[in-house]
Amino acid sequence: MSGQDEFETALAGLQLPAEWHLDVAIRPRRRSVGIEVLPGGAVVVLIPPTADPEQVAWFVRSHRRWIIEKVETAPRLAPDHSVKGFVDSEEFDLLGERYRLQLVDSLPSGVGQSPAATADHVLYARRQRPEQVRRAVIELYRQVGLSWLKREGRQYELAGGIEGLDYVVRGLGRRRWGAYYGPPKHTTTLHWAAFGLPVHLVEYVLVHEQAHATRPPGQAHGPAWRRQMNLWMPDWKQRKTELAEIGRHAWLGD
């Protein structure tokens, strides 16, 4: 088993550009070497603890052109997320519809809960401290999103022979829109903030995770997973690219 210093020494011998801000991360659960280019342009080499330093160096060297391309585009994809004020007339996107926030002391007739997104594109919420309004709106996203997820996910369960799948909508941090957790959880999870994206991108996140839920053999995003994606969503690569751009402006709760 090699240590952090040995990997860093092997990579230093490649004389990579200093502006790459190369970092080494040993990940106990990884089975193979990987490279991640962060939105700001930093390069992280993801290494299983049993890897050989020279093999890691060869892997990075062989992916040099790919790294250059990703580093050049990384600044354009840096996060610039929306910030909400939780005041009257603030706008919120939910499943492809835009709603204007209206704070009220009592709910209008016919509106049974708070917050509520109505057919006339008003998002009613009780007047209270901004932090309380923020939490209430996020809970609305979670509830609406979970209903959508259970309904839309069913077709992929049937098509993919997926049995016993659970669904969860919750916060997933600032870097993931969705996740599939294998047995015993066997759960497709979407970030509540994903439901503020255009619907076709929410669909992409769902299909991405449902393809994992079929438990294809091989690597997580290997040939079997890609075949499933191509079958269910032929334009998934285009949607993935669009998500990278639109998603960096999305509201994540701030």
Side-chain angles (χ1 to χ4, degrees):
M1 182 177 296
S2 301
Q4 182 96 7
D5 292 343
E6 293 179 84
F7 290 121
E8 291 178 350
T9 299
L11 293 173
L14 299 178
Q15 297 182 335
L16 301 173
E19 60 268 21
W20 284 9
H21 303 292
L22 190 71
D23 191 19
V24 169
I26 299 176
R27 299 289 172 82
R29 296 184 179 182
R30 285 196 68 90
R31 297 181 180 179
S32 59
V33 182
I35 300 172
E36 183 177 19
V37 179
L38 303 181
V43 180
V44 182
V45 183
L46 308 171
I47 305 173
T50 56
D52 177 76
E54 292 305 317
Q55 290 180 337
V56 172
W58 174 86
F59 183 86
V60 174
R61 185 188 303 113
S62 66
H63 287 76
R64 188 183 184 105
R65 183 179 297 276
W66 179 88
I67 297 173
I68 291 173
E69 294 175 353
K70 294 298 183 181
V71 169
E72 288 178 347
T73 59
R76 180 172 57 83
L77 299 177
D80 184 24
H81 295 297
S82 300
V83 176
K84 302 295 185 181
F86 303 101
V87 295
D88 283 326
S89 297
E90 183 73 86
E91 293 182 336
F92 292 85
D93 293 319
L94 179 58
L95 283 177
E97 301 290 340
R98 179 158 295 177
Y99 299 88
R100 193 175 297 274
L101 180 64
Q102 184 170 334
L103 301 175
V104 295
D105 295 315
S106 59
L107 295 175
S109 176
V111 178
Q113 66 177 33
S114 173
T118 62
D120 56 353
H121 294 90
V122 176
L123 198 167
Y124 289 103
R126 294 189 185 279
R127 195 182 309 278
Q128 51 192 334
R129 288 183 288 118
E131 176 58 24
Q132 293 175 299
V133 178
R134 184 185 76 88
R135 289 199 298 265
V137 171
I138 289 174
E139 177 60 18
L140 175 67
Y141 273 68
R142 196 195 68 79
Q143 292 177 5
V144 171
L146 184 58
S147 295
W148 182 93
L149 182 58
K150 290 179 177 179
R151 182 180 67 252
E152 297 299 322
R154 181 60 178 162
Q155 61 183 304
Y156 300 104
E157 292 181 53
L158 297 174
I162 305 169
E163 297 181 353
L165 185 68
D166 290 327
Y167 294 98
V168 172
V169 174
R170 63 177 179 86
L172 287 175
R174 307 184 73 84
R175 298 181 59 189
R176 290 192 301 171
W177 294 109
Y180 167 70
Y181 299 97
K185 292 184 177 180
H186 192 37
T187 300
T188 288
T189 301
L190 262 62
H191 196 316
W192 64 262
F195 298 96
L197 299 168
V199 175
H200 69 287
L201 298 184
V202 189
E203 291 170 346
Y204 162 72
V205 178
L206 169 60
V207 172
H208 181 120
E209 305 309 336
Q210 295 297 73
H212 285 305
T214 65
R215 302 177 66 191
Q219 295 180 341
H221 297 107
W225 178 85
R226 292 195 297 270
R227 282 195 296 271
Q228 192 67 63
M229 290 296 293
N230 289 332
L231 176 64
W232 281 347
M233 184 172 283
D235 66 341
W236 68 271
K237 292 181 181 179
Q238 178 182 334
R239 298 194 199 200
K240 177 183 178 181
T241 299
E242 190 175 348
L243 176 60
E245 171 58 29
I246 292 180
R248 73 189 187 97
H249 301 293
W251 176 56
L252 297 183
D254 297 324

